[in-house]
Amino acid sequence: MAEIVIRNLRKEFGSFTAVKGSTFTVGDGEFFMLLGPSGCGKTTTLRMIAGLELPTSGEILIGGEDVSQRPASKRDIAMVFQMFALYPHMNVRKNISYPLVSQGMPRDRVATKVTEVARTLDIAHLLDKGVGGLSGGDRQRVALARAIVREPKAFMLDEPLGALDAEFREHMAEELRSLHNRMGATTVYVTHDQLEAMQMGDKIVIMNHGVVEQFGVPQDLYDWPATMFVAEFLGSPPMNFLRFDGIVGRGMAAVTLGEAVIDVPQQREDAHGALALGVRPEHVHLDDAAPTRGRVIAAEYLGTSQIVTLATPHGEVKARIPSARAVRSGDTTGLSFDARTLSLFDVATGRALSSAANQTVLAHG
Amino acid sequence: MSAHSVTAASRKAKWVAGILVVLYAVLTLLPLLWIISTSFKSGPDSISYPPKVFFQPTLEGYVNLFTTQARASAEDLATLTPPEAWYDEIAWADGMIIVGPSRFGQRFLNSVIIGFGSTFLSIVLGTLSAYAFSRFRVPLRDDLLFFILSTRMMPPIVVAIPIFLMFRSLGLSDTHAGMILLYTAVNLSLAVWLLKGFIDEIPRDYEEAALIDGYTRFQAFVKVVLPQAATGIASTAIFCLIFAWNEYAFAVLLTSGNAQTAPPFIPTILSVGGGIDWPAVAAAATLFLLPVVVFTILLRKHLLRGITFGAVRR
Ligand SMILES: Nc1ncnc2c1ncn2[C@@H]1O[C@H](COP(=O)(O)OP(=O)(O)O)[C@@H](O)[C@H]1O
Ligand SMILES: [Mg+2]
């Protein structure tokens, strides 16, 4: 088991830069999520950590050793491929034994370990089957077995649930997480599904267009996004932005949107021009007395809660409120916000402005 | 499913297809059958008119093919001890004495060495370069691939004279090494192109999984890529062997003794002494067919899938 440190990692394919100077740390034993939209460079990053792709520049340290220029076979890392990549000309037992055979492990030890791992993953009955006829879930388990059997320093999983049926996904996600809890192995998990990342991850790094947007524990990222991209990418529905032109100064604890003065966490940074007030839907309240006005344009019933969409002078706002409260399309009402949860963004740069509430999160992401 | 489903053939269509296949097989196999039956006929039977379909089979043709014989008069034969070996008896019955082996056996062996040798070399070099073209960033890749293909755009025999001169000054004329080299050179472009197609079809994930599992690039190639390219390798090998085995023009030009292959040798049987020994010629043709047939049968498991050039996916 080992810590993985990534410093200024860059990858160019010809004139195209797929990864633009990533820096983050995967703690020893962490379940670490590499999250971002398709094409943002997640797989490329994972492949560089595994040694399947050599970085153009930057450092990769595994367990304190710089392995950036070392071939995959010398890194002691296991990987589960998106399409599992089980060797089609070998049966399940041979597939799982294969990484042990390369180490020159004696045959009886190999046999014992394979049986042991197969039992852990509940695939002992499949050992003598070919891999061709296996179901998606069983293939996944065989791929996992092949990865864990040699107890590597770390695991790389590239969208491991992507190839599974929706109904089976949740089950496999739980299985993966519980397997990790038992083994405590450092795991880097690639996904484009923000919900999956927040449910399963100890830590998340969010990438966009080859750039690391933010890195930290899920709750910090959700509550205190460092960029508008993170604010919109996490959460469903995503964070609302109330756009306005204004001035923010160091020490201020309120902003003025039109007529309304809205309390915000005390600011630690000056900014002016196009700004956005970020507020999560669950922190928007319908309050007839509030000065910020909005007209209800839709309500989506979700059982215990409902998502109400309102048109305001500063853009559309979605509120998550108890379904007990009756709202009708066309109603006009006031909107109030939990002051302690608000973030301000500079629209030109997309960055969050530093405040008393988010400064510790921003400093380390 | 309607009666006119695209996938399921109707009974009638199956019958028609079956009959057509049988007709085609008869048409192509009949000459072969005739050659094989002639090889077991006696000299007179082979030229009798009308042709004999039923006859007394004999190995006379094969014995004549493999031996050199001398005619002996009845008085001479009477002075000799009666033959013991079955082939001596066959010759004796015709009033002949076997004085030694013919050159056919050695020419046939040359064909085997040169045919399989060049096939083996084409496959080894072809697989390695196809893998490199398929997986690595080779500078000028497309230009190189086109150049390799372009070597097949003219009939190889066009360059016969330069090759003849080159072989003479390099001392490669009439050597096994020279012929293996030549056939490999001709086959290699086909091998690279065919094999590249097959290797392109194999997902990279498998080798990468092997790299991650602790194997070197070369081990991954041998243990993971090669088994999956087996179909492509088998069908490419058959194409290469068929070319090298049947090649006539270069063999006539560049070999005369030591390294002469069967194709230029067989016609020389036609012109030995008086009259043509048809059973011997037929025996030579029959034996000549065998290696390619056996090789193809050995690899047939891989072949059907391979001949479709990777069009059928797993
Ligand atoms: N071998 C390659 N050559 C050229 N471009 C590549 C290569 N691999 C990936 N890319 C490009 O790099 C970008 C990031 O790819 P990838 O890491 O696979 O994204 P993700 O896994 O986040 O979807 C994509 O635009 C992709 O087209
Ligand atoms: Mg990817």
Side-chain angles (χ1 to χ4, degrees):
Chain A
M1 298 304 118
E3 181 187 62
I4 302 172
V5 178
I6 306 294
R7 272 193 215 128
N8 298 321
L9 193 64
R10 236 183 121 74
K11 180 67 188 181
E12 290 164 15
F13 294 111
S15 61
F16 176 77
T17 309
V19 176
K20 302 172 183 162
S22 296
T23 299
F24 56 87
T25 301
V26 183
D28 187 7
E30 254 174 19
F31 202 93
F32 188 92
M33 310 302 278
L34 206 53
L35 173 67
S38 183
C40 73
K42 306 180 295 291
T43 297
T44 307
T45 305
L46 198 74
R47 288 168 59 84
M48 284 194 282
I49 301 176
L52 294 174
E53 211 74 75
L54 291 182
T56 309
S57 65
E59 283 171 38
I60 301 165
L61 283 79
I62 300 177
E65 271 182 282
D66 185 352
V67 298
S68 337
Q69 301 298 321
R70 229 185 255 181
S73 53
K74 299 262 155 40
R75 291 196 189 188
D76 193 17
I77 275 187
M79 182 153 166
V80 173
F81 289 80
Q82 197 164 354
M83 303 309 291
F84 311 134
L86 302 177
Y87 306 120
H89 56 297
M90 302 181 192
N91 66 14
V92 171
R93 187 190 303 279
K94 284 233 176 85
N95 261 282
I96 302 175
S97 324
Y98 209 55
L100 299 179
V101 173
S102 78
Q103 301 175 333
M105 185 181 279
R107 285 168 131 233
D108 50 333
R109 284 264 328 271
V110 171
T112 327
K113 291 219 72 168
V114 169
T115 317
E116 202 178 289
V117 167
R119 207 169 299 140
T120 310
L121 285 162
D122 218 4
I123 47 170
H125 59 292
L126 298 175
L127 281 176
D128 293 310
K129 292 229 166 89
V131 296
L134 298 182
S135 69
D138 286 338
R139 277 165 193 251
Q140 168 94 77
R141 290 198 186 89
V142 175
L144 279 169
R146 187 174 68 180
I148 64 179
V149 73
R150 78 189 149 99
E151 297 166 22
K153 286 195 183 132
F155 296 104
M156 307 287 124
L157 306 170
D158 192 355
E159 312 224 6
L161 306 182
L164 301 181
D165 298 339
E167 55 175 320
F168 197 66
R169 240 183 238 194
E170 200 145 332
H171 173 70
M172 209 62 215
E174 269 167 39
E175 224 172 279
L176 271 176
R177 189 61 233 214
S178 79
L179 186 68
H180 176 262
N181 291 348
R182 267 180 290 157
M183 307 208 325
T186 309
T187 304
V188 182
Y189 184 116
V190 163
T191 180
H192 63 264
D193 182 339
Q194 53 99 13
L195 210 56
E196 200 174 288
M198 289 203 287
Q199 282 169 346
M200 299 173 73
D202 293 326
K203 274 213 187 130
I204 300 179
V205 62
I206 300 190
M207 292 182 67
N208 186 30
H209 294 305
V211 174
V212 168
E213 294 271 332
Q214 195 173 3
F215 147 60
V217 298
Q219 175 104 52
D220 283 351
L221 267 54
Y222 183 81
D223 289 346
W224 305 113
T227 64
M228 291 174 80
F229 174 80
V230 173
E232 277 197 292
F233 197 72
L234 293 182
S236 169
M239 187 177 261
N240 297 298
F241 295 125
L242 289 98
R243 290 162 196 271
F244 65 102
D245 276 314
I247 294 178
V248 173
R250 212 176 292 246
M252 276 171 58
V255 291
T256 312
L257 267 76
E259 273 94 78
V261 174
I262 296 169
D263 290 341
V264 294
Q266 193 181 52
Q267 294 301 298
R268 295 284 147 92
E269 191 172 347
D270 300 324
H272 61 86
L275 302 176
L277 177 72
V279 56
R280 291 273 173 208
E282 56 273 29
H283 300 137
V284 179
H285 305 292
L286 304 191
D287 172 1
D288 282 330
T292 310
R293 307 304 292 178
R295 188 171 46 82
V296 176
I297 52 181
E300 186 188 347
Y301 175 68
L302 296 176
T304 54
S305 65
Q306 59 182 333
I307 307 290
V308 180
T309 309
L310 303 110
T312 77
H314 308 287
E316 229 168 66
V317 171
K318 286 183 193 281
R320 184 192 292 274
I321 59 169
S323 26
R325 162 126 194 200
V327 283
R328 275 195 317 257
S329 281
D331 285 358
T332 299
T333 175
L335 286 79
S336 69
F337 313 106
D338 284 345
R340 287 167 304 124
T341 66
L342 299 180
S343 293
L344 283 166
F345 296 91
D346 181 339
V347 173
T349 62
R351 272 191 337 98
L353 301 178
S354 176
S355 74
N358 69 7
Q359 61 181 351
T360 46
V361 171
L362 294 192
H364 125 276
Chain B
M1 278 287 148
S2 74
H4 295 281
S5 146
V6 181
T7 46
S10 70
R11 278 177 71 90
K12 201 173 133 198
K14 275 186 189 161
W15 269 101
V16 172
I19 289 168
L20 282 176
V21 167
V22 168
L23 270 180
Y24 180 73
V26 166
L27 210 66
T28 48
L29 290 179
L30 212 55
L32 285 181
L33 206 64
W34 196 250
I35 290 176
I36 294 167
S37 73
T38 303
S39 76
F40 290 105
K41 284 178 181 171
S42 65
D45 279 352
S46 71
I47 50 172
S48 74
Y49 191 85
K52 286 195 174 175
V53 177
F54 300 100
F55 55 90
Q56 180 71 39
T58 162
L59 286 173
E60 198 182 310
Y62 290 89
V63 172
N64 292 350
L65 177 64
F66 278 99
T67 59
T68 318
Q69 305 177 355
R71 181 158 294 285
S73 62
E75 303 90 77
D76 289 342
L77 285 177
T79 64
L80 295 169
T81 44
E84 278 162 18
W86 60 271
Y87 44 83
D88 282 325
E89 265 172 37
I90 289 176
W92 190 283
D94 275 352
M96 305 289 281
I97 299 172
I98 293 174
V99 294
S102 73
R103 286 178 302 165
F104 180 75
Q106 193 253 336
R107 299 303 195 253
F108 192 81
L109 188 65
N110 283 345
S111 264
V112 171
I113 293 171
I114 291 168
F116 284 88
S118 75
T119 300
F120 177 76
L121 206 59
S122 305
I123 292 299
V124 170
L125 295 176
T127 314
L128 287 172
S129 30
Y131 181 73
F133 276 123
S134 171
R135 296 297 199 254
F136 300 135
R137 265 164 243 146
V138 180
L140 299 178
R141 203 180 77 134
D142 293 347
D143 304 292
L144 282 174
L145 277 172
F146 179 78
F147 172 73
I148 289 172
L149 186 66
S150 73
T151 60
R152 286 303 289 262
M153 288 182 186
M154 57 183 181
I157 200 68
V158 169
V159 289
I161 291 177
I163 285 178
F164 178 77
L165 296 173
M166 245 161 58
F167 268 44
R168 207 173 52 179
S169 51
L170 290 173
L172 286 173
S173 298
D174 204 20
T175 61
H176 294 94
M179 294 312 286
I180 289 177
L181 212 59
L182 177 68
Y183 290 163
T184 304
V186 175
N187 270 334
L188 198 53
S189 66
L190 178 77
V192 170
W193 270 80
L194 285 183
L195 287 166
K196 181 178 174 295
F198 285 106
I199 292 176
D200 282 345
E201 290 277 308
I202 304 170
R204 284 162 184 248
D205 283 7
Y206 298 126
E207 312 147 58
E208 293 185 338
L211 292 180
I212 297 265
D213 284 348
Y215 294 88
T216 62
R217 171 69 74 170
F218 188 72
Q219 286 171 323
F221 170 73
V222 172
K223 296 196 175 156
V224 176
V225 179
L226 284 190
Q228 296 199 63
T231 298
I233 290 174
S235 32
T236 309
I238 287 170
F239 282 121
C240 290
L241 180 69
I242 288 173
F243 169 80
W245 189 257
N246 292 338
E247 205 285 327
Y248 177 77
F250 278 112
V252 167
L253 189 71
L254 298 172
T255 66
S256 48
N258 177 41
Q260 191 180 46
T261 54
F265 177 76
I266 291 172
T268 65
I269 307 170
L270 290 171
S271 52
V272 177
I276 295 169
D277 188 353
W278 288 114
V281 173
T286 304
L287 290 177
F288 185 70
L289 288 172
L290 276 180
V292 177
V293 172
V294 171
F295 190 63
T296 310
I297 289 173
L298 286 180
L299 298 183
R300 76 182 180 289
K301 177 164 70 109
H302 299 295
L303 205 58
L304 266 183
R305 240 155 43 103
I307 290 291
T308 56
F309 294 100
V312 181
R313 280 175 193 272
R314 290 156 281 276

